[in-house]
Amino acid sequence: MNNIVERLSKLSLINRIVIGMGIGIFLGIFVPSLTVVGILGTVFVNALKAIAPLLVFFIVMSALAQHKEGHETNMKSIVLLYLFGTFGAALVGVIASFAFPITMTLAESTTEVTAPQGIAAVLETLVLKLVDNPVNALVSANYIGILSWAVLFGMAFRRADEPMKNLLKQVSDATSHVVKLVISFAPIGIMGLVYTTVSENGVGVFANYGSLILVLIGSMFFVAFVMNPIIVFFMIKENPFPLVLRCLKESGVTAFFVRSSAANIPVNMQLCKDLGLDEDSYSVSIPLGATINMAGAAITITVLTLAAVNTLGIQVDFLTALVLSVLSTIAACGASGVTGGSLLLIPVACSLFGISNDIAMQVVGVGFIIGVLQDSCETALNSSTDVLFTAAAEFRQWKKEGRNIQLNPQLAELE
């Protein structure tokens, strides 16, 4: 047993996660009543969700307090990439829906939550989140509010003396250390999450929605392996796949099982640090991306909306589809970084075609039925792209400065 533990400790975190996944699948199939294993996954996710708000607040505040005038942060490029990538993903969803038109048997709504009543309601919610009580923002994991207050406090602390700035840095480092400790338990946590998925969800539930799932996941794979690499190549003028694959492996795999962009923030922060990125940039861009970089959500909104349109026999021209892409981009930015956040924005898109809220909420019900796969793939795409675009923007800056990104020791293993 000691030899096994010693060998496991020498493996990389990703390899240990793969082993944990295998054990979770095995136990889920053959011992489905062993609920204690599933609890391990719940504990892991809750730990990530608990530490993520503190990590974002302290690391952003500290980074801004230490910020030197004239230092480039690449935030403009990153935000533009977020918005362009989300719009491109919405277009991919529209094109896929036109190429493979899907109809569905509408199910009864499986949720009692209330969807936003229009795009204006989505934007109003975003603005109100900006000025949320800072304590409430931390407690409720409102990352827009956390970011806004962290930025204000960080800029205010620029006037503080060096001992105070050092204290902020030490608190930030201590929080990061706690995050590393939590992430070290990822293999056990993901084992529990996989166990729960396998033991509670048989493949039969997806039989009636196979075509819909294929269009959704196929669109997400296209974005991950075709569109995103093209965008990254345009930014860095080098082979994008080493970076794309690393982001999917180290961020996407965890996000797939955690199913929460917010909970995956600590994982993304650590990956950015491992890539040697500027903390001033990624400390802001990663939590921001968990809120507004929603390529997977845009695909979900467009594909399910057009499936409802096809089911009802509504004709859609190209111009209306283009408007749907823009609307889905804006709506996706308002999707919360938690499980199933994008589904509640579907009624907003359905309203473009005059579809009633009752029918739209039935579409949301279908979304919850296929959510085990749809939401997992969506979160993996969303969260891994946060790191991908943050890195692409900074690597572009490195190229302008004459720095060769292949010389980064953290990327050497990918050559």
Side-chain angles (χ1 to χ4, degrees), residues 345-375:
L345 277 302
I346 291 173
V348 176
C350 284
S351 66
L352 178 66
F353 302 95
I355 298 175
S356 69
N357 191 61
D358 289 341
I359 295 178
M361 289 306 294
Q362 291 184 44
V363 178
V364 173
V366 172
F368 276 102
I369 291 174
I370 64 174
V372 173
L373 284 177
Q374 168 268 324
D375 196 50

PDB file of all heavy atoms in Angstrom, residues 345-375:
ATOM      1  N   LEU A 345     -31.691  31.620 -19.757  1.00  0.00           N
ATOM      2  CA  LEU A 345     -31.668  32.716 -20.714  1.00  0.00           C
ATOM      3  C   LEU A 345     -32.359  32.342 -22.019  1.00  0.00           C
ATOM      4  O   LEU A 345     -32.542  33.188 -22.899  1.00  0.00           O
ATOM      5  CB  LEU A 345     -30.221  33.143 -21.003  1.00  0.00           C
ATOM      6  CG  LEU A 345     -29.551  34.109 -20.010  1.00  0.00           C
ATOM      7  CD1 LEU A 345     -30.360  35.389 -19.894  1.00  0.00           C
ATOM      8  CD2 LEU A 345     -29.370  33.482 -18.647  1.00  0.00           C
ATOM      9  N   ILE A 346     -32.757  31.081 -22.148  1.00  0.00           N
ATOM     10  CA  ILE A 346     -33.436  30.634 -23.370  1.00  0.00           C
ATOM     11  C   ILE A 346     -34.742  31.390 -23.610  1.00  0.00           C
ATOM     12  O   ILE A 346     -35.039  31.779 -24.751  1.00  0.00           O
ATOM     13  CB  ILE A 346     -33.670  29.108 -23.322  1.00  0.00           C
ATOM     14  CG1 ILE A 346     -32.327  28.387 -23.440  1.00  0.00           C
ATOM     15  CG2 ILE A 346     -34.616  28.652 -24.434  1.00  0.00           C
ATOM     16  CD1 ILE A 346     -32.411  26.888 -23.231  1.00  0.00           C
ATOM     17  N   PRO A 347     -35.585  31.630 -22.587  1.00  0.00           N
ATOM     18  CA  PRO A 347     -36.816  32.400 -22.832  1.00  0.00           C
ATOM     19  C   PRO A 347     -36.554  33.793 -23.405  1.00  0.00           C
ATOM     20  O   PRO A 347     -37.383  34.313 -24.165  1.00  0.00           O
ATOM     21  CB  PRO A 347     -37.456  32.486 -21.437  1.00  0.00           C
ATOM     22  CG  PRO A 347     -36.971  31.271 -20.734  1.00  0.00           C
ATOM     23  CD  PRO A 347     -35.552  31.100 -21.204  1.00  0.00           C
ATOM     24  N   VAL A 348     -35.413  34.404 -23.059  1.00  0.00           N
ATOM     25  CA  VAL A 348     -35.076  35.711 -23.621  1.00  0.00           C
ATOM     26  C   VAL A 348     -34.922  35.603 -25.131  1.00  0.00           C
ATOM     27  O   VAL A 348     -35.436  36.426 -25.896  1.00  0.00           O
ATOM     28  CB  VAL A 348     -33.780  36.258 -22.983  1.00  0.00           C
ATOM     29  CG1 VAL A 348     -33.378  37.574 -23.641  1.00  0.00           C
ATOM     30  CG2 VAL A 348     -33.963  36.456 -21.483  1.00  0.00           C
ATOM     31  N   ALA A 349     -34.199  34.556 -25.582  1.00  0.00           N
ATOM     32  CA  ALA A 349     -33.999  34.367 -27.019  1.00  0.00           C
ATOM     33  C   ALA A 349     -35.291  33.940 -27.701  1.00  0.00           C
ATOM     34  O   ALA A 349     -35.581  34.373 -28.828  1.00  0.00           O
ATOM     35  CB  ALA A 349     -32.901  33.330 -27.254  1.00  0.00           C
ATOM     36  N   CYS A 350     -36.078  33.104 -27.033  1.00  0.00           N
ATOM     37  CA  CYS A 350     -37.344  32.655 -27.624  1.00  0.00           C
ATOM     38  C   CYS A 350     -38.302  33.823 -27.851  1.00  0.00           C
ATOM     39  O   CYS A 350     -39.122  33.804 -28.787  1.00  0.00           O
ATOM     40  CB  CYS A 350     -38.004  31.612 -26.715  1.00  0.00           C
ATOM     41  SG  CYS A 350     -37.255  29.975 -26.780  1.00  0.00           S
ATOM     42  N   SER A 351     -38.208  34.842 -27.007  1.00  0.00           N
ATOM     43  CA  SER A 351     -39.099  35.995 -27.159  1.00  0.00           C
ATOM     44  C   SER A 351     -38.886  36.711 -28.483  1.00  0.00           C
ATOM     45  O   SER A 351     -39.786  37.389 -28.986  1.00  0.00           O
ATOM     46  CB  SER A 351     -38.891  36.972 -25.997  1.00  0.00           C
ATOM     47  OG  SER A 351     -37.589  37.554 -26.045  1.00  0.00           O
ATOM     48  N   LEU A 352     -37.697  36.549 -29.083  1.00  0.00           N
ATOM     49  CA  LEU A 352     -37.414  37.158 -30.383  1.00  0.00           C
ATOM     50  C   LEU A 352     -38.355  36.626 -31.456  1.00  0.00           C
ATOM     51  O   LEU A 352     -38.685  37.321 -32.422  1.00  0.00           O
ATOM     52  CB  LEU A 352     -35.952  36.886 -30.777  1.00  0.00           C
ATOM     53  CG  LEU A 352     -35.477  37.400 -32.134  1.00  0.00           C
ATOM     54  CD1 LEU A 352     -35.489  38.921 -32.155  1.00  0.00           C
ATOM     55  CD2 LEU A 352     -34.076  36.891 -32.428  1.00  0.00           C
ATOM     56  N   PHE A 353     -38.842  35.388 -31.281  1.00  0.00           N
ATOM     57  CA  PHE A 353     -39.704  34.756 -32.272  1.00  0.00           C
ATOM     58  C   PHE A 353     -41.163  34.704 -31.816  1.00  0.00           C
ATOM     59  O   PHE A 353     -41.977  34.002 -32.408  1.00  0.00           O
ATOM     60  CB  PHE A 353     -39.208  33.333 -32.561  1.00  0.00           C
ATOM     61  CG  PHE A 353     -37.787  33.280 -33.042  1.00  0.00           C
ATOM     62  CD1 PHE A 353     -36.740  33.056 -32.157  1.00  0.00           C
ATOM     63  CD2 PHE A 353     -37.491  33.489 -34.375  1.00  0.00           C
ATOM     64  CE1 PHE A 353     -35.435  33.018 -32.596  1.00  0.00           C
ATOM     65  CE2 PHE A 353     -36.187  33.451 -34.828  1.00  0.00           C
ATOM     66  CZ  PHE A 353     -35.145  33.224 -33.933  1.00  0.00           C
ATOM     67  N   GLY A 354     -41.462  35.427 -30.740  1.00  0.00           N
ATOM     68  CA  GLY A 354     -42.828  35.473 -30.248  1.00  0.00           C
ATOM     69  C   GLY A 354     -43.270  34.203 -29.547  1.00  0.00           C
ATOM     70  O   GLY A 354     -44.471  33.955 -29.413  1.00  0.00           O
ATOM     71  N   ILE A 355     -42.318  33.386 -29.117  1.00  0.00           N
ATOM     72  CA  ILE A 355     -42.648  32.141 -28.410  1.00  0.00           C
ATOM     73  C   ILE A 355     -43.009  32.480 -26.965  1.00  0.00           C
ATOM     74  O   ILE A 355     -42.272  33.188 -26.281  1.00  0.00           O
ATOM     75  CB  ILE A 355     -41.471  31.155 -28.458  1.00  0.00           C
ATOM     76  CG1 ILE A 355     -41.163  30.786 -29.916  1.00  0.00           C
ATOM     77  CG2 ILE A 355     -41.757  29.905 -27.642  1.00  0.00           C
ATOM     78  CD1 ILE A 355     -39.930  29.916 -30.080  1.00  0.00           C
ATOM     79  N   SER A 356     -44.119  31.957 -26.503  1.00  0.00           N
ATOM     80  CA  SER A 356     -44.589  32.286 -25.162  1.00  0.00           C
ATOM     81  C   SER A 356     -43.642  31.762 -24.098  1.00  0.00           C
ATOM     82  O   SER A 356     -42.889  30.802 -24.317  1.00  0.00           O
ATOM     83  CB  SER A 356     -45.989  31.700 -24.925  1.00  0.00           C
ATOM     84  OG  SER A 356     -45.927  30.293 -24.844  1.00  0.00           O
ATOM     85  N   ASN A 357     -43.715  32.369 -22.920  1.00  0.00           N
ATOM     86  CA  ASN A 357     -42.838  31.966 -21.821  1.00  0.00           C
ATOM     87  C   ASN A 357     -43.145  30.538 -21.361  1.00  0.00           C
ATOM     88  O   ASN A 357     -42.235  29.805 -20.956  1.00  0.00           O
ATOM     89  CB  ASN A 357     -43.003  32.931 -20.648  1.00  0.00           C
ATOM     90  CG  ASN A 357     -41.937  32.728 -19.588  1.00  0.00           C
ATOM     91  OD1 ASN A 357     -40.750  32.871 -19.846  1.00  0.00           O
ATOM     92  ND2 ASN A 357     -42.354  32.367 -18.382  1.00  0.00           N
ATOM     93  N   ASP A 358     -44.410  30.110 -21.448  1.00  0.00           N
ATOM     94  CA  ASP A 358     -44.773  28.751 -21.043  1.00  0.00           C
ATOM     95  C   ASP A 358     -44.056  27.712 -21.898  1.00  0.00           C
ATOM     96  O   ASP A 358     -43.508  26.732 -21.386  1.00  0.00           O
ATOM     97  CB  ASP A 358     -46.289  28.553 -21.149  1.00  0.00           C
ATOM     98  CG  ASP A 358     -47.042  29.316 -20.075  1.00  0.00           C
ATOM     99  OD1 ASP A 358     -46.404  29.687 -19.068  1.00  0.00           O
ATOM    100  OD2 ASP A 358     -48.251  29.536 -20.238  1.00  0.00           O
ATOM    101  N   ILE A 359     -44.077  27.947 -23.223  1.00  0.00           N
ATOM    102  CA  ILE A 359     -43.398  27.008 -24.122  1.00  0.00           C
ATOM    103  C   ILE A 359     -41.889  27.087 -23.926  1.00  0.00           C
ATOM    104  O   ILE A 359     -41.198  26.064 -23.915  1.00  0.00           O
ATOM    105  CB  ILE A 359     -43.770  27.309 -25.589  1.00  0.00           C
ATOM    106  CG1 ILE A 359     -45.261  27.040 -25.807  1.00  0.00           C
ATOM    107  CG2 ILE A 359     -42.921  26.483 -26.546  1.00  0.00           C
ATOM    108  CD1 ILE A 359     -45.749  27.360 -27.200  1.00  0.00           C
ATOM    109  N   ALA A 360     -41.383  28.315 -23.768  1.00  0.00           N
ATOM    110  CA  ALA A 360     -39.948  28.496 -23.581  1.00  0.00           C
ATOM    111  C   ALA A 360     -39.454  27.760 -22.338  1.00  0.00           C
ATOM    112  O   ALA A 360     -38.369  27.159 -22.332  1.00  0.00           O
ATOM    113  CB  ALA A 360     -39.609  29.980 -23.479  1.00  0.00           C
ATOM    114  N   MET A 361     -40.257  27.779 -21.267  1.00  0.00           N
ATOM    115  CA  MET A 361     -39.854  27.095 -20.052  1.00  0.00           C
ATOM    116  C   MET A 361     -39.913  25.575 -20.215  1.00  0.00           C
ATOM    117  O   MET A 361     -39.198  24.842 -19.529  1.00  0.00           O
ATOM    118  CB  MET A 361     -40.722  27.537 -18.875  1.00  0.00           C
ATOM    119  CG  MET A 361     -40.457  28.975 -18.417  1.00  0.00           C
ATOM    120  SD  MET A 361     -38.709  29.307 -18.043  1.00  0.00           S
ATOM    121  CE  MET A 361     -38.447  28.258 -16.608  1.00  0.00           C
ATOM    122  N   GLN A 362     -40.734  25.085 -21.133  1.00  0.00           N
ATOM    123  CA  GLN A 362     -40.703  23.660 -21.461  1.00  0.00           C
ATOM    124  C   GLN A 362     -39.392  23.308 -22.155  1.00  0.00           C
ATOM    125  O   GLN A 362     -38.827  22.228 -21.935  1.00  0.00           O
ATOM    126  CB  GLN A 362     -41.895  23.285 -22.341  1.00  0.00           C
ATOM    127  CG  GLN A 362     -43.236  23.336 -21.628  1.00  0.00           C
ATOM    128  CD  GLN A 362     -44.368  22.866 -22.512  1.00  0.00           C
ATOM    129  OE1 GLN A 362     -44.242  21.855 -23.199  1.00  0.00           O
ATOM    130  NE2 GLN A 362     -45.475  23.598 -22.518  1.00  0.00           N
ATOM    131  N   VAL A 363     -38.894  24.229 -22.982  1.00  0.00           N
ATOM    132  CA  VAL A 363     -37.583  24.028 -23.618  1.00  0.00           C
ATOM    133  C   VAL A 363     -36.491  24.003 -22.549  1.00  0.00           C
ATOM    134  O   VAL A 363     -35.552  23.197 -22.616  1.00  0.00           O
ATOM    135  CB  VAL A 363     -37.303  25.147 -24.646  1.00  0.00           C
ATOM    136  CG1 VAL A 363     -35.913  24.962 -25.276  1.00  0.00           C
ATOM    137  CG2 VAL A 363     -38.375  25.165 -25.730  1.00  0.00           C
ATOM    138  N   VAL A 364     -36.628  24.877 -21.564  1.00  0.00           N
ATOM    139  CA  VAL A 364     -35.684  24.867 -20.437  1.00  0.00           C
ATOM    140  C   VAL A 364     -35.731  23.510 -19.738  1.00  0.00           C
ATOM    141  O   VAL A 364     -34.694  22.962 -19.337  1.00  0.00           O
ATOM    142  CB  VAL A 364     -36.018  25.999 -19.437  1.00  0.00           C
ATOM    143  CG1 VAL A 364     -35.160  25.887 -18.188  1.00  0.00           C
ATOM    144  CG2 VAL A 364     -35.824  27.361 -20.090  1.00  0.00           C
ATOM    145  N   GLY A 365     -36.926  22.933 -19.606  1.00  0.00           N
ATOM    146  CA  GLY A 365     -37.073  21.616 -19.007  1.00  0.00           C
ATOM    147  C   GLY A 365     -36.298  20.557 -19.771  1.00  0.00           C
ATOM    148  O   GLY A 365     -35.630  19.705 -19.178  1.00  0.00           O
ATOM    149  N   VAL A 366     -36.360  20.622 -21.108  1.00  0.00           N
ATOM    150  CA  VAL A 366     -35.566  19.701 -21.928  1.00  0.00           C
ATOM    151  C   VAL A 366     -34.080  19.905 -21.645  1.00  0.00           C
ATOM    152  O   VAL A 366     -33.308  18.951 -21.543  1.00  0.00           O
ATOM    153  CB  VAL A 366     -35.862  19.911 -23.426  1.00  0.00           C
ATOM    154  CG1 VAL A 366     -34.900  19.088 -24.284  1.00  0.00           C
ATOM    155  CG2 VAL A 366     -37.304  19.546 -23.747  1.00  0.00           C
ATOM    156  N   GLY A 367     -33.697  21.171 -21.505  1.00  0.00           N
ATOM    157  CA  GLY A 367     -32.296  21.476 -21.214  1.00  0.00           C
ATOM    158  C   GLY A 367     -31.829  20.836 -19.924  1.00  0.00           C
ATOM    159  O   GLY A 367     -30.702  20.319 -19.845  1.00  0.00           O
ATOM    160  N   PHE A 368     -32.679  20.831 -18.906  1.00  0.00           N
ATOM    161  CA  PHE A 368     -32.308  20.212 -17.640  1.00  0.00           C
ATOM    162  C   PHE A 368     -32.208  18.689 -17.763  1.00  0.00           C
ATOM    163  O   PHE A 368     -31.395  18.053 -17.086  1.00  0.00           O
ATOM    164  CB  PHE A 368     -33.301  20.585 -16.543  1.00  0.00           C
ATOM    165  CG  PHE A 368     -33.000  21.902 -15.886  1.00  0.00           C
ATOM    166  CD1 PHE A 368     -33.724  23.040 -16.207  1.00  0.00           C
ATOM    167  CD2 PHE A 368     -31.976  22.021 -14.957  1.00  0.00           C
ATOM    168  CE1 PHE A 368     -33.446  24.264 -15.618  1.00  0.00           C
ATOM    169  CE2 PHE A 368     -31.687  23.231 -14.358  1.00  0.00           C
ATOM    170  CZ  PHE A 368     -32.413  24.362 -14.682  1.00  0.00           C
ATOM    171  N   ILE A 369     -33.022  18.104 -18.633  1.00  0.00           N
ATOM    172  CA  ILE A 369     -32.968  16.654 -18.827  1.00  0.00           C
ATOM    173  C   ILE A 369     -31.624  16.236 -19.421  1.00  0.00           C
ATOM    174  O   ILE A 369     -31.015  15.252 -18.996  1.00  0.00           O
ATOM    175  CB  ILE A 369     -34.126  16.191 -19.742  1.00  0.00           C
ATOM    176  CG1 ILE A 369     -35.467  16.352 -19.016  1.00  0.00           C
ATOM    177  CG2 ILE A 369     -33.932  14.741 -20.173  1.00  0.00           C
ATOM    178  CD1 ILE A 369     -36.668  16.072 -19.882  1.00  0.00           C
ATOM    179  N   ILE A 370     -31.136  17.001 -20.410  1.00  0.00           N
ATOM    180  CA  ILE A 370     -29.865  16.652 -21.057  1.00  0.00           C
ATOM    181  C   ILE A 370     -28.693  17.369 -20.403  1.00  0.00           C
ATOM    182  O   ILE A 370     -27.559  17.293 -20.882  1.00  0.00           O
ATOM    183  CB  ILE A 370     -29.898  17.008 -22.556  1.00  0.00           C
ATOM    184  CG1 ILE A 370     -30.043  18.526 -22.759  1.00  0.00           C
ATOM    185  CG2 ILE A 370     -31.017  16.256 -23.263  1.00  0.00           C
ATOM    186  CD1 ILE A 370     -29.928  18.960 -24.209  1.00  0.00           C
ATOM    187  N   GLY A 371     -28.966  18.037 -19.271  1.00  0.00           N
ATOM    188  CA  GLY A 371     -27.953  18.899 -18.660  1.00  0.00           C
ATOM    189  C   GLY A 371     -26.699  18.194 -18.198  1.00  0.00           C
ATOM    190  O   GLY A 371     -25.635  18.812 -18.101  1.00  0.00           O
ATOM    191  N   VAL A 372     -26.796  16.882 -17.906  1.00  0.00           N
ATOM    192  CA  VAL A 372     -25.612  16.158 -17.437  1.00  0.00           C
ATOM    193  C   VAL A 372     -24.484  16.272 -18.452  1.00  0.00           C
ATOM    194  O   VAL A 372     -23.331  16.516 -18.100  1.00  0.00           O
ATOM    195  CB  VAL A 372     -25.953  14.675 -17.177  1.00  0.00           C
ATOM    196  CG1 VAL A 372     -24.689  13.892 -16.847  1.00  0.00           C
ATOM    197  CG2 VAL A 372     -26.949  14.562 -16.042  1.00  0.00           C
ATOM    198  N   LEU A 373     -24.814  16.125 -19.744  1.00  0.00           N
ATOM    199  CA  LEU A 373     -23.793  16.246 -20.792  1.00  0.00           C
ATOM    200  C   LEU A 373     -23.667  17.679 -21.288  1.00  0.00           C
ATOM    201  O   LEU A 373     -22.553  18.205 -21.433  1.00  0.00           O
ATOM    202  CB  LEU A 373     -24.133  15.319 -21.960  1.00  0.00           C
ATOM    203  CG  LEU A 373     -23.860  13.829 -21.752  1.00  0.00           C
ATOM    204  CD1 LEU A 373     -24.307  13.040 -22.969  1.00  0.00           C
ATOM    205  CD2 LEU A 373     -22.380  13.590 -21.491  1.00  0.00           C
ATOM    206  N   GLN A 374     -24.805  18.312 -21.575  1.00  0.00           N
ATOM    207  CA  GLN A 374     -24.781  19.662 -22.141  1.00  0.00           C
ATOM    208  C   GLN A 374     -24.059  20.643 -21.237  1.00  0.00           C
ATOM    209  O   GLN A 374     -23.150  21.368 -21.673  1.00  0.00           O
ATOM    210  CB  GLN A 374     -26.225  20.119 -22.395  1.00  0.00           C
ATOM    211  CG  GLN A 374     -26.372  21.604 -22.704  1.00  0.00           C
ATOM    212  CD  GLN A 374     -26.635  22.427 -21.449  1.00  0.00           C
ATOM    213  OE1 GLN A 374     -27.318  21.996 -20.528  1.00  0.00           O
ATOM    214  NE2 GLN A 374     -26.070  23.615 -21.391  1.00  0.00           N
ATOM    215  N   ASP A 375     -24.424  20.669 -19.955  1.00  0.00           N
ATOM    216  CA  ASP A 375     -23.844  21.661 -19.060  1.00  0.00           C
ATOM    217  C   ASP A 375     -22.377  21.361 -18.758  1.00  0.00           C
ATOM    218  O   ASP A 375     -21.570  22.274 -18.593  1.00  0.00           O
ATOM    219  CB  ASP A 375     -24.645  21.728 -17.756  1.00  0.00           C
ATOM    220  CG  ASP A 375     -24.329  22.979 -16.959  1.00  0.00           C
ATOM    221  OD1 ASP A 375     -24.368  24.077 -17.541  1.00  0.00           O
ATOM    222  OD2 ASP A 375     -24.020  22.859 -15.766  1.00  0.00           O
TER     223      ASP A 375
END
